[in-house]
């Protein structure tokens, strides 16, 4: 009896929804998008009509079929990067089904959205790297004009992006080693030093060296990346710079086998040309080389770098145990013996050698050298004073605190880009296409951060200024 009563009540409480899928309704798409949706914030923060000025000369004014609005195409790419959609085909499908995306593009519910092939063709063939770069810097200028950018200190680092290439489809090639950008300047200083010490200067003619590289037959412009515990893969490296608020200021893309310290010059030159007010460059230990420290210091800027673990055989004296005496141009070993200057080599290292007769009976020889002649050689780079300057900067409280911000700036940018925006791997092939893809992704990240901050400030003003006004009126 009680079971039947409870069963009847359950039946009364259980509601069923009638299927009314075929009904016609009069609705406004504006009412279907929440007021605090991220696309509303972006649409309110920036004027997209500026895109017409950037791409206007790529369209014929009086011939051909009417084109898809370039603002619509750019907004579709923006949607792809904002929501981490992996492909253009999937993006076009999501735009067709999602009401908020249609509102953002200005399309009605029954209006046909652009086909993915139109989107792909325009961004592969029409919109050049110069246009994509102009779009990136246009958004950055909007952020700067609003007063949100702080270029006084830049945080620089590199991250790898897995390429769309098979590690098994590769060939071995012998290629000439690329000349270092500072090679001529270094050789001039080496020869000056050699002449000062009565040595014959180098003639500058060096036999070209070759190195063997692994090249992908699928994407020849990527490179083999293998670092630490990372799995060996074909990849690209994105050298990126951001400010203390996490806004990406510029990015350059290189093959994955290019070291960070080699790729640094291209990014740094672009940065200081656009932002001459940069005062400090914050980087990790991979950038702690004599040339980078010299370049930044000679430009009147501060290199902020961490401690770098000295390289050498385990159990032996470390390089910092040998003290360089600049006045007498010699080195003092841990046993207080003098290593006299010998020569300076082509790589810019001064060589200091010990007296083998003294070292033969030295009690610390077993942790100093394995040389059969009982001769210890210590090298000091000609630009080592710039490394010493960077080491002094490292200990100052101001720059020690600034370096700690790396984890919440550039490292946070990379973490968000890979976890939220799909930058862990790329489906594009070729250096120029991957560069465009990375720039557009960072442009979307900058725009989202900018839009949210502007929206929050407007909400703050609305609450603290307008609300008290109505309170007085209705009091």
């Amino acid at each position: 009896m009680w079971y039947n009563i409870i069963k009847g009540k359950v039946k009364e409480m259980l509601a069923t929804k009638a299927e009314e899928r075929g009904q016609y309704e009069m609705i406004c798409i504006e009412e279907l998008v929440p007021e605090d949706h991220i696309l509303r914030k972006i649409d309110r923060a920036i004027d997209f009509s500026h895109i017409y000025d950037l791409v206007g000369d790529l369209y014929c004014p009086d011939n051909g079929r009417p084109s898809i609005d370039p603002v619509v195409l750019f907004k579709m790419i923006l949607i792809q990067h904002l929501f981490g959609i992996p492909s253009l085909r999937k993006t076009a499908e999501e735009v067709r089904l999602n009401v908020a995306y249609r509102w953002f593009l200005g399309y009605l519910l029954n209006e046909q959205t652009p086909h993915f092939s139109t989107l792909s063709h325009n961004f592969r063939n029409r919109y050049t790297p110069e246009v994509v770069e102009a779009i990136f810097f246009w958004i950055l200028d909007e952020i700067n004009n609003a007063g949100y950018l702080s270029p006084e200190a830049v945080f620089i680092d590199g991250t790898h992006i897995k390429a769309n290439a098979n590690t098994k489809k590769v060939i071995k090639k012998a290629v000439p080693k690329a000349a270092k950008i500072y090679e001529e300047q270094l050789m001039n200083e080496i020869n000056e030093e050699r002449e000062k010490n009565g040595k014959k200067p180098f003639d500058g003619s060096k036999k070209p060296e070759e190195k063997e590289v692994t090249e992908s037959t699928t994407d020849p412009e990527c490179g083999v990346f293998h670092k630490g515990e990372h799995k060996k893969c074909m990849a690209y490296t994105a050298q990126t710079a951001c400010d203390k608020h996490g806004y990406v200021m510029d990015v350059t893309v290189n093959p994955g086998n290019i070291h960070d310290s080699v790729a640094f010059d291209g990014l740094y030159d672009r940065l200081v040309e656009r932002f001459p007010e940069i005062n400090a460059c914050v980087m990790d230990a991979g950038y702690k080389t004599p040339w980078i420290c010299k370049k930044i210091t000679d430009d009147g800027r501060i290199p902020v770098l961490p401690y770098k673990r000295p390289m050498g055989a385990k159990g032996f004296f470390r390089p910092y145990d040998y003290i360089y005496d600049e006045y007498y141009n010699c080195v003092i070993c841990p046993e207080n013996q003098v290593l006299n200057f010998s020569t300076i080599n082509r790589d810019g290292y001064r060589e200091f050698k010990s007296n083998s007769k003294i070292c033969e009976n030295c009690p610390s020889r077993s942790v100093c050298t394995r040389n059969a002649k009982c001769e210890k050689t210590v090298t000091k780079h000609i630009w080592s004073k710039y490394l010493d300057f960077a080491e002094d900067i490292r200990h100052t409280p101001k720059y020690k605190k600034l370096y700690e911000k790396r984890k919440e700036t550039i490292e946070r940018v990379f973490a968000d880009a890979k976890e939220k925006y799909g930058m862990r791997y790329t489906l594009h092939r070729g250096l120029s296409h991957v560069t465009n893809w990375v720039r557009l992704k960072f442009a979307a990240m900058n725009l989202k951060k900018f839009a949210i901050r502007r929206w929050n400030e407007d909400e703050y003003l609305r609450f603290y200024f307008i609300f008290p006004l109505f309170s007085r009126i209705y009091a």
Side-chain angles (χ1 to χ4, degrees):
M1 179 179 174
W2 289 107
Y3 173 76
N4 291 332
I5 293 172
I6 294 171
K7 188 176 179 181
K9 287 185 177 180
V10 169
K11 284 186 176 180
E12 289 177 7
M13 297 298 292
L14 182 64
T16 57
K17 180 74 173 69
E19 292 186 4
E20 299 174 345
R21 296 173 182 171
Q23 281 201 3
Y24 288 94
E25 287 185 287
M26 292 185 65
I27 58 173
C28 177
I29 195 171
E30 183 75 23
E31 298 174 355
L32 300 177
V33 182
E35 285 295 325
D36 59 347
H37 196 280
I38 184 59
L39 294 180
R40 279 193 183 273
K41 297 177 183 180
I42 290 173
D43 192 66
R44 184 173 170 179
I46 202 165
D47 181 13
F48 287 98
S49 63
H50 183 69
I51 292 176
Y52 297 125
D53 301 330
L54 300 177
V55 302
D57 58 343
L58 301 177
Y59 291 85
C60 183
D62 55 3
N63 191 21
R65 294 179 298 173
S67 70
I68 302 292
D69 190 339
V71 171
V72 170
L73 296 177
F74 173 71
K75 283 184 175 181
M76 287 183 71
I77 289 291
L78 191 60
I79 287 170
Q80 179 194 7
H81 292 299
L82 280 173
F83 298 98
I85 305 174
S87 67
L88 294 177
R89 189 187 293 265
K90 183 67 175 176
T91 303
E93 182 68 15
E94 290 292 326
V95 165
R96 188 174 68 85
L97 299 174
N98 193 299
V99 175
Y101 296 170
R102 281 180 171 271
W103 174 89
F104 186 57
L105 300 180
Y107 279 76
L108 299 176
L109 290 176
N110 60 349
E111 197 172 355
Q112 186 176 358
T113 54
H115 194 262
F116 81 90
S117 61
T118 305
L119 192 63
S120 176
H121 174 79
N122 278 275
F123 275 90
R124 284 190 68 87
N125 302 309
R126 174 171 292 172
Y127 299 151
T128 61
E130 290 75 22
V131 171
V132 173
E133 186 175 317
I135 289 172
F136 174 84
F137 284 118
W138 159 58
I139 294 174
L140 194 65
D141 288 339
E142 292 287 328
I143 296 168
N144 196 17
N145 294 337
Y148 297 161
L149 199 66
S150 300
E152 293 79 20
V154 293
F155 298 82
I156 299 174
D157 203 357
T159 186
H160 78 281
I161 304 164
K162 291 182 181 178
N164 186 9
N166 192 338
T167 53
K168 296 181 181 179
K169 295 182 178 180
V170 296
I171 56 173
K172 299 286 186 179
K173 287 182 68 175
V175 297
K177 278 189 177 180
K180 295 182 176 67
I181 196 170
Y182 54 87
E183 193 167 344
E184 184 178 351
Q185 182 181 352
L186 178 61
M187 186 55 67
N188 290 336
E189 294 195 28
I190 289 172
N191 286 335
E192 287 178 12
E193 183 85 8
R194 288 181 67 85
E195 289 176 355
K196 193 187 299 182
N197 289 280
K199 304 285 184 180
K200 183 181 177 182
F202 295 121
D203 57 4
S205 58
K206 191 177 179 182
K207 186 179 178 181
E209 297 180 13
E210 286 190 345
K211 64 176 181 179
E212 189 182 69
V213 296
T214 304
E215 184 179 284
S216 169
T217 56
T218 314
D219 184 1
E221 293 186 332
C222 66
V224 177
F225 177 84
H226 191 201
K227 180 182 178 183
E229 297 180 357
H230 292 282
K231 186 180 177 182
K232 183 178 178 182
C233 65
M234 308 304 293
Y236 288 94
T237 300
Q239 292 294 316
T240 312
C242 74
D243 74 337
K244 67 180 182 180
H245 301 299
Y247 291 110
V248 177
M249 298 168 62
D250 204 355
V251 60
T252 59
V253 180
N254 304 278
N257 54 2
I258 302 296
H259 193 266
D260 288 348
S261 61
V262 177
F264 167 81
D265 292 278
L267 177 63
Y268 177 79
D269 292 340
R270 287 169 57 94
L271 273 174
V272 296
E273 182 181 356
R274 192 168 188 87
F275 301 100
E277 63 270 32
I278 291 174
N279 180 52
C281 296
V282 186
M283 301 163 287
D284 63 15
Y287 297 89
K288 198 169 185 179
T289 65
W291 163 247
I292 291 177
C293 292
K294 172 181 167 57
K295 185 169 187 174
I296 296 173
T297 307
D298 287 350
D299 286 347
R301 299 181 174 89
I302 305 297
V304 183
L305 295 155
Y307 170 76
K308 186 176 182 180
R309 186 172 55 192
M311 293 176 284
K314 191 175 180 180
F316 280 70
F317 287 136
R318 294 301 187 185
Y320 52 74
D321 292 324
Y322 299 87
I323 309 302
Y324 175 61
D325 189 325
E326 189 174 357
Y327 183 80
Y328 291 105
N329 193 26
C330 66
V331 168
I332 310 298
C333 78
E335 291 290 336
N336 292 322
Q337 298 297 329
V338 176
L339 281 71
N340 293 310
F341 174 78
S342 174
T343 186
I344 179 168
N345 60 30
R346 282 184 176 271
D347 295 323
Y349 285 92
R350 300 186 183 100
E351 294 182 1
F352 300 88
K353 294 186 178 181
S354 66
N355 188 332
S356 58
K357 293 181 180 179
I358 297 175
C359 291
E360 189 175 2
N361 300 315
C362 179
S364 302
R365 191 176 63 142
S366 60
V367 293
C368 180
T369 181
R370 292 174 178 161
N371 189 280
K373 298 179 180 179
C374 301
E375 186 180 68
K376 174 66 177 179
T377 301
V378 174
T379 58
K380 297 286 182 182
H381 199 275
I382 194 173
W383 292 335
S384 60
K385 63 180 180 181
Y386 296 100
L387 286 172
D388 295 337
F389 174 71
E391 192 66 14
D392 293 338
I393 291 295
R394 181 175 74 85
H395 293 286
T396 59
K398 176 183 176 181
Y399 294 109
K400 188 182 291 186
K401 189 175 181 180
L402 184 63
Y403 183 81
E404 291 174 356
K405 290 184 176 292
R406 283 188 73 253
K407 62 180 178 294
E408 58 198 59
T409 52
I410 190 67
E411 291 180 4
R412 177 68 178 270
V413 167
F414 291 154
D416 285 347
K418 292 186 176 185
E419 290 295 325
K420 299 179 182 178
Y421 301 97
M423 207 181 80
R424 196 172 295 280
Y425 62 90
T426 179
L427 298 177
H428 297 267
R429 289 174 180 166
L431 192 60
S432 61
H433 293 305
V434 175
T435 301
N436 290 347
W437 178 77
V438 172
R439 283 191 185 281
L440 288 169
K441 195 169 292 291
F442 282 140
M445 291 172 62
N446 282 347
L447 185 54
K448 181 179 178 180
K449 187 185 290 286
F450 170 57
I452 291 173
R453 181 170 178 180
R454 173 159 281 190
W455 176 276
N456 291 339
E457 286 187 355
D458 291 345
E459 289 293 309
Y460 175 86
L461 293 173
R462 191 179 296 113
F463 181 80
Y464 283 97
F465 290 96
I466 299 177
F467 180 74
L469 180 63
F470 280 98
S471 298
R472 293 193 203 99
I473 293 172
Y474 293 104

